[in-house]
Structures are given as structure tokens and as C-alpha cells.
């Protein structure tokens, strides 16, 4: 089920990857699905996650890193940053700083693409994780917060970003936000 959900998210965000861009998949996971599937669609891709081993290939770099208030990346470097099912796993006290860091590493007019479950999704995720055992329970118990649009807009505005697009998908259980610097 985890792979199905990941593939669904990839289908939703694939149109945001362009050929000549430098992208970051923050929280890419050990599978780094986005970077692997769309490797031929971007110029250079970086993946950061505490669950991966450092690796460098032709147009891909994976970096073992656990977010602790800063990102070990250059200013104004990325065209796009992807956070796919990641935001809900970060401590709420660190979210404001994370948005500032994302703004710092983005080029002018760069974009952040976020997918995150809505508050309505909590009960569904708990049911499919704990009762049906279709999703890893540790992933669900690690969720710190379920965000609503108002919170994302406030976080974006406070860090010099603007929400330029948002929509619900998967029957309103997940949300997509596109932010621009």
C-alpha cells in the first residue's frame, strides 16, 4: 500500500519537474522514488534523508541527513524542492525554521511542492495501519501534525514564500501545495 500511495503522489507532482532544473527531494526515503522515476526529466537531483546512504552518480546525489534546524545546502541553488509526505513527520516547533531554510536554498521564482495528509486523513491512516496492517504503523505514529491550508499559507508568508496553488486529492485526504519564492 505504501508503494501505491507513493506512486499516486508522484503522478500528482510529476508535471512540476522540468528538464533543465536542479531539484531537491527532502525526505526522499530509502527508495527515493521521485528521483529514480524522473531521473531523465531533471538536470541535477539531490535527495536528503536520514534513512539513506551517501551516493553520487551522474546527475544524482543522495545525502544522509536528519533535519535539525538547517539544511546543508547552498543558497539560491534549487529550482524546485519536493516534500512528499514529509511535512507531517517534522516536529511542529521546527516547521517555521524549515520554511525559512527552504526559502534560503530556492532560487528566485523557485518552487516548493508539498503533499501532506489532511486532518481528515488521520482516522483513515490509523485504520489502515493498525487494523488492516496495509501501511507501516510506525510511519503513522510518527506524524506530528496534520496541516490545513491556512497553516501552510501562514508558514509560507512568514518566510517570504507565497502559495500559488493548492488542491485536495485522494478524496480530500491529502493536499498539494505549490509555493513560490
Amino acid at each position: 500500500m505504501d508503494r501505491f500511495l507513493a506512486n499516486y503522489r508522484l503522478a500528482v507532482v510529476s508535471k512540476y519537474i522540468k528538464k533543465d532544473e536542479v531539484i531537491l527531494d527532502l525526505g526522499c526515503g530509502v527508495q527515493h522514488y521521485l528521483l529514480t522515476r524522473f531521473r531523465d526529466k531533471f538536470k541535477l537531483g539531490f535527495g536528503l534523508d536520514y534513512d539513506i546512504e551517501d551516493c553520487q552518480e551522474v546527475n544524482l546525489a543522495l545525502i544522509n541527513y536528519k533535519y535539525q534546524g538547517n539544511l546543508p545546502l547552498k543558497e539560491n541553488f534549487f529550482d524546485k524542492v519536493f516534500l512528499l509526505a514529509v511535512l507531517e513527520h517534522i516536529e511542529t516547533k521546527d516547521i517555521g525554521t524549515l520554511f525559512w531554510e527552504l526559502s534560503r536554498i530556492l532560487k528566485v521564482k523557485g518552487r516548493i511542492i508539498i503533499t501532506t495528509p489532511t486532518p481528515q486523513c488521520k482516522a483513515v491512516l490509523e485504520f489502515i495501519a493498525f487494523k488492516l496492517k496495509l501501511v507501516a504503523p510506525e510511519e503513522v505514529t510518527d506524524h506530528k501534525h496534520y496541516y490545513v491550508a491556512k497553516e501552510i499559507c501562514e508558514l509560507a508568508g512568514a518566510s517570504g514564500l507565497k502559495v500559488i496553488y493548492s488542491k485536495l486529492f485522494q478524496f480530500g485526504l491529502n493536499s498539494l501545495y505549490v509555493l513560490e519564492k
Side-chain angles (χ1 to χ4, degrees), residues 14-178:
S14 65
K15 67 181 177 183
Y16 296 102
I17 302 171
K18 305 294 181 212
K19 192 74 171 162
D20 294 323
E21 293 182 329
V22 177
I23 68 167
L24 169 65
D25 185 3
L26 183 61
C28 64
V30 69
Q31 308 89 350
H32 42 84
Y33 291 132
L34 179 124
L35 296 170
T36 302
R37 173 164 310 155
F38 300 112
R39 190 175 191 166
D40 61 333
K41 285 188 73 175
F42 55 78
K43 177 179 170 183
L44 186 59
F46 290 81
L48 256 66
D49 202 304
Y50 68 91
D51 219 10
I52 59 174
E53 292 185 28
D54 289 350
C55 172
Q56 290 201 350
E57 298 176 18
V58 175
N59 71 332
L60 180 64
L62 301 176
I63 303 164
N64 179 286
Y65 182 77
K66 183 169 175 75
Y67 179 73
Q68 297 176 341
N70 68 344
L71 295 171
L73 302 163
K74 295 185 216 177
E75 282 188 31
N76 305 310
F77 186 70
F78 293 96
D79 297 292
K80 302 271 174 54
V81 176
F82 293 83
L83 288 93
L84 307 181
V86 170
L87 201 60
E88 63 276 10
H89 294 280
I90 297 172
E91 295 289 342
T92 54
K93 67 179 179 53
D94 296 329
I95 292 294
T97 305
L98 173 64
F99 272 68
W100 274 108
E101 279 291 287
L102 294 172
S103 180
R104 179 186 67 79
I105 66 172
L106 270 181
K107 294 177 181 176
V108 173
K109 297 291 183 188
R111 292 184 174 177
I112 302 168
I113 292 81
I114 298 170
T115 65
T116 189
T118 62
Q120 296 78 10
C121 189
K122 184 176 192 273
V124 174
L125 281 174
E126 289 172 351
F127 179 74
I128 63 175
F130 302 116
K131 299 290 186 194
L132 300 180
K133 310 249 188 259
L134 296 174
V135 173
E138 58 275 6
E139 289 292 321
V140 176
T141 57
D142 187 54
H143 288 184
K144 312 297 190 255
H145 187 68
Y146 292 83
Y147 291 88
V148 296
K150 181 180 179 200
E151 292 171 306
I152 300 296
C153 289
E154 288 171 356
L155 287 161
S159 54
L161 301 165
K162 180 180 179 182
V163 176
I164 61 168
Y165 181 75
S166 68
K167 80 171 191 170
L168 297 176
F169 65 100
Q170 291 180 330
F171 309 106
L173 298 177
N174 276 289
S175 51
L176 166 71
Y177 300 96
V178 178

